[in-house]
Structures are given as C-alpha cells and as structure tokens.
Amino acid sequence: MMFLRKFAPSMSQLLAFDAAARLGSFTEAASELCLTQSAISRHIQELEGLLQADLFTRRGRRISLTTEGARYAREIAGALARIRNASIDIYESRLQSGALQLAVLPIFSSKWLMPRLGNFQALHPEILINLHSRTGDIERASQGMDACIAVGDGNWPNMVAHHLVSTQGIIIAAPELLARQPLRQPEDLQRHSLLEANTTAPGWRECLMDSNMDPRIAKVGSRFEYTAHLIQAVSSGLGLGLVTDLFVQDELRAGTLTTPQLQGFCIPAKHYYLLHSPEKSESASLQTFKTWLLDAVDRAKDY
C-alpha cells in the first residue's frame, strides 16, 4: 500500500493550491498564507508533479485554472472545510470541557442574571458559563448540570442549597386598562381577564382561596408558557397578571405597568436558590461563580 502515499499531497501543497484557486493569484495566495510567492509556486509545482497534470494555465503573471484544476479545486474544497471544522470542534470541545453548565429559570435568567453576567465574565474570563433554560422539577432541571437556580423552600435533601433572594408576588396591569376598568375590590376582578403563566406558583384562584375570598369571582383567561410572555401580554392591555416583583422593575419605572393594590388579597412570596449536588462542591469554577453570585445578590439589595 506504499504506493498510495504518492497520491496523498502534503497539507502545504493543498493549502497553497486552494488559496491560489480561490484568489486567482499566487501573490494573493502567498499573502493569505503568510508565505512567499516562490513558496506558493513551488508547492503547486510539486502538486502538479505528483498528479502528473497541469492545474493552472500561466500567462505571464496571470493564472487560470485548467479543466482538471477546476475539478480538483471543487473536490478538495469540501475536504479542507471538513478538516478545518473537525479541528475547530476538537479545539472548542477542550475549551467547553471546563465550562460551567448552569440551568436557570428563563425569567430569572433574562431579567436578573443576564444583565449582571457581563460583570462576572469581565472578572473571570477564564470561566465559560453555558446557560440552559429549564423549568419543572428540580431533579429534571439539574440533570447534566453543574448547578441550577430554582424556586423552593430550601428543603432539598440531596442538594446543597444557597439562598439567593426572596421576592413578593404582585398584581400587574397596564395603566390604560385600569383607567377604563378600575380595580378597587375583589369583585372588580370579574370585569377583567386574569392571565397566568404555566408555573408551579399559585394562580388567581389559589390566591383568592388563600385570602379567604370566593375563587368563583376569577375569570381566568389565557395562559402562557413563559412569564416573559405573560408580562408582555399584560403590558399590551390583554388583562391582569400575577408575577414576582423582581422581574418587572424596569416596566414599573417606565410606567408601562402598574401594581394595583387589592385589599386583603395575598400572593405568596417566592424564594430563589442556587442548587448543586454535594460532589460538585469541589468544583473551583462553581465555587467562584457562587461567591460572585452571592455578592451580586447583596449588591442588588443595596441598590
């Protein structure tokens, strides 16, 4: 099988030919590959000698591909692209092997974590963080993850839990909607479409019952998979919503949302935690992120 080596050009020869074929110039190929023009010419002559075929027609300094050269250029372009992609994949996989895999509730990620994550990356550029949007039970959300940020009571027997922040639930509405249909007492809810997100948090009827109010006064309207979609729907005047106060601060400051006070109506607080398995406690990148995150929470409380 030694004869097959004669038909395996060197990478230098292939790269020189590919560049010259694409650019139509030995000079430009030399510039792209950081070689001399004579080196490019030599690599291509060696390749032509190996193939026993002329790949270029030369007229002074001008070159053009022969029919065989054009066919060869098409064939090796795909092969070189696959080699480059395979090399990049291996290189990136080594970088990603040390990345921190973090599962986060979508609304917490977009409204709280993402605006602050640039600070972490500036302080710790050596640590990559891959964010995964996860909802549902903690066991499913944490599969394949180094850590996750979730809502709960802090009681996870098989997990290490670090309390981050406690938030209060509020009613939100578009100011224009309340101008037309004021909300002053529980019975006023009957005149509104009550929107909800598909979360484990108590909904309108659960909150009414917890507040010793008749749940039948609630006319529950559309449901949304993500809290962000609920907030957008309420901002558009489609109805009232129940959300966590932490996630609508920008809208409240901008005046696109308001928080009507309904006397006697209680919405349970939510508690957010950073969770990870005990064996992940030895991860240096996770410990660095945890320290930064807890500090960011403290700074946000002082804001």
Side-chain angles (χ1 to χ4, degrees):
M1 303 292 286
M2 291 294 292
F3 72 92
L4 291 177
R5 295 180 60 181
K6 296 181 178 180
F7 296 97
S10 71
M11 185 59 69
S12 296
Q13 294 168 351
L14 292 177
L15 290 175
F17 170 72
D18 174 69
R22 285 187 291 102
L23 300 172
S25 166
F26 286 179
T27 301
E28 292 185 28
S31 177
E32 179 179 283
L33 298 177
C34 298
L35 297 173
T36 63
Q37 183 176 343
S38 61
I40 294 293
S41 180
R42 183 179 68 256
H43 287 320
I44 291 175
Q45 287 176 358
E46 291 170 351
L47 181 61
E48 289 177 323
L50 183 149
L51 299 176
Q52 294 294 293
D54 291 331
L55 300 175
F56 290 97
T57 298
R58 299 162 175 82
R59 295 184 180 89
R61 293 187 176 183
R62 299 181 62 184
I63 62 169
S64 59
L65 286 167
T66 63
T67 301
E68 289 177 318
R71 185 172 75 245
Y72 194 61
R74 288 193 300 270
E75 292 293 335
I76 71 164
L80 288 174
R82 289 191 295 274
I83 292 171
R84 292 189 187 99
N85 290 336
S87 300
I88 291 172
D89 286 344
I90 294 297
Y91 174 77
E92 290 185 344
S93 67
R94 294 194 64 183
L95 292 178
Q96 292 292 336
S97 65
L100 187 66
Q101 307 298 327
L102 182 65
V104 191
L105 294 168
I107 189 64
F108 191 93
S109 174
S110 62
K111 288 287 190 175
W112 195 94
L113 183 59
M114 287 301 296
R116 296 170 170 82
L117 200 56
N119 172 261
F120 175 81
Q121 297 285 211
L123 293 173
H124 305 284
E126 76 283 0
I127 300 178
L128 295 177
I129 295 183
N130 291 337
L131 289 183
H132 304 263
S133 292
R134 297 287 177 88
T135 59
D137 65 271
I138 300 302
E139 183 177 348
R140 185 182 70 84
S142 60
Q143 288 180 353
M145 298 292 106
D146 294 305
C148 62
I149 294 177
V151 175
D153 58 4
N155 184 26
W156 290 280
N158 299 320
M159 305 286 281
V160 178
H162 306 278
H163 179 259
L164 299 177
V165 62
S166 293
T167 62
Q168 183 57 53
I170 58 174
I171 300 173
I172 56 171
E176 298 82 4
L177 178 63
L178 291 187
R180 297 192 307 269
Q181 298 171 211
L183 182 63
R184 300 189 179 95
Q185 54 190 1
E187 288 71 21
D188 293 335
L189 289 172
Q190 297 179 88
R191 298 189 295 154
H192 290 276
S193 179
L194 308 181
L195 312 181
E196 293 184 345
N198 291 331
T199 67
T200 57
W204 285 99
R205 291 197 172 102
E206 290 85 357
C207 289
L208 284 165
M209 287 189 290
D210 290 343
S211 305
N212 295 317
M213 298 178 182
D214 187 348
R216 292 174 296 180
I217 67 175
K219 183 179 68 175
V220 179
S222 300
R223 299 182 67 88
F224 301 87
E225 184 174 3
Y226 298 109
T227 303
H229 296 165
L230 168 65
I231 294 172
Q232 290 176 340
V234 174
S235 298
S236 300
L238 299 182
L240 306 180
L242 295 178
V243 299
T244 295
D245 58 357
L246 184 68
F247 304 137
V248 289
Q249 295 302 307
D250 291 340
E251 292 82 358
L252 293 175
R253 281 192 289 266
T256 57
L257 288 176
T258 188
T259 57
Q261 301 300 313
L262 193 59
Q263 188 173 5
F265 186 76
C266 300
I267 309 173
K270 284 185 177 181
H271 310 283
Y272 289 83
Y273 290 83
L274 175 69
L275 307 174
H276 60 83
S277 61
E279 56 267 25
K280 294 292 184 180
S281 297
E282 301 301 319
S283 168
S285 58
L286 177 55
Q287 290 303 314
T288 299
F289 177 74
K290 181 198 75 174
T291 299
W292 170 85
L293 183 61
L294 294 176
D295 182 62
V297 167
D298 287 338
R299 290 198 307 272
K301 290 175 183 176
D302 297 333
Y303 178 69

